[in-house]
Amino acid sequence: ITVVMTLLFRPDILDVEPGHRVDERDTEDNSVHYTIIFNAFVWMQLFNEVNCRMLKGEFNVFSGIQNNPLFCSILIVTSFLQVLIVQFGSVAFAVADDGLDGKQWGLCLILGAGSLPIQQVINVIFTLAQHYKGVRMRKRLKKNRSLVAHPYHDGHASLVEHDHDHGHDHSHALSEKKDH
């Protein structure tokens, strides 16, 4: 979303005429600006398809990709169709009449491939969150083990729970007699 919004509202960084100005003219020209946004968006989705193959924090998103011919076929056909649409689909798909030049294609592909390192950042966060979840679970188990039954002189027991966060003991009397 950030990439698309940046491309939409900052056409000056693309060195192209803003799409809304092209639309305001009475010509039948299609906007290079909007074509770049469309193309970059599609390539981000295609690269994200590769990312979505691994959803549990795996770092090598390309692992085993060759073992899924259906996935590879869909990815290749979709990529090929995208090139055809952008370069030759001006009237049918309202893209730039002459397609995009090499520099614009390079930008779109780089933006699309940018989803790969972003996924790696997400994987690092996922791994850290899993580690933190494990640490919390170990602390919870340790706290549960710290619940100790302390006998009183009258044969009753109390349950003492130590509050590790605040350094307080909370005693709860048990009404059951201890079995001897």
Side-chain angles (χ1 to χ4, degrees), residues 80-169:
F80 179 73
L81 289 174
Q82 179 63 15
V83 172
L84 288 178
I85 288 168
V86 170
Q87 287 305 111
F88 306 109
S90 64
V91 175
F93 295 98
V95 295
D97 296 329
D98 296 325
L100 299 177
D101 63 25
K103 180 181 169 185
Q104 294 161 339
W105 267 102
L107 174 67
C108 292
L109 291 171
I110 288 169
L111 291 173
S115 68
L116 296 172
I118 288 172
Q119 181 63 40
Q120 296 305 308
V121 171
I122 292 169
N123 289 344
V124 168
I125 292 169
F126 178 82
T127 303
L128 292 173
Q130 292 298 95
H131 175 72
Y132 175 71
K133 180 179 175 183
V135 169
R136 282 187 55 222
M137 181 60 73
R138 286 190 293 279
K139 284 183 178 180
R140 186 175 299 131
L141 291 173
K142 184 179 177 183
K143 184 176 181 179
N144 290 345
R145 283 192 298 269
S146 73
L147 299 174
V148 180
H150 293 285
Y152 281 126
H153 64 282
D154 62 356
H156 287 80
S158 75
L159 196 58
V160 176
E161 177 183 342
H162 184 75
D163 186 344
H164 294 284
D165 295 333
H166 300 96
H168 303 293
D169 282 342

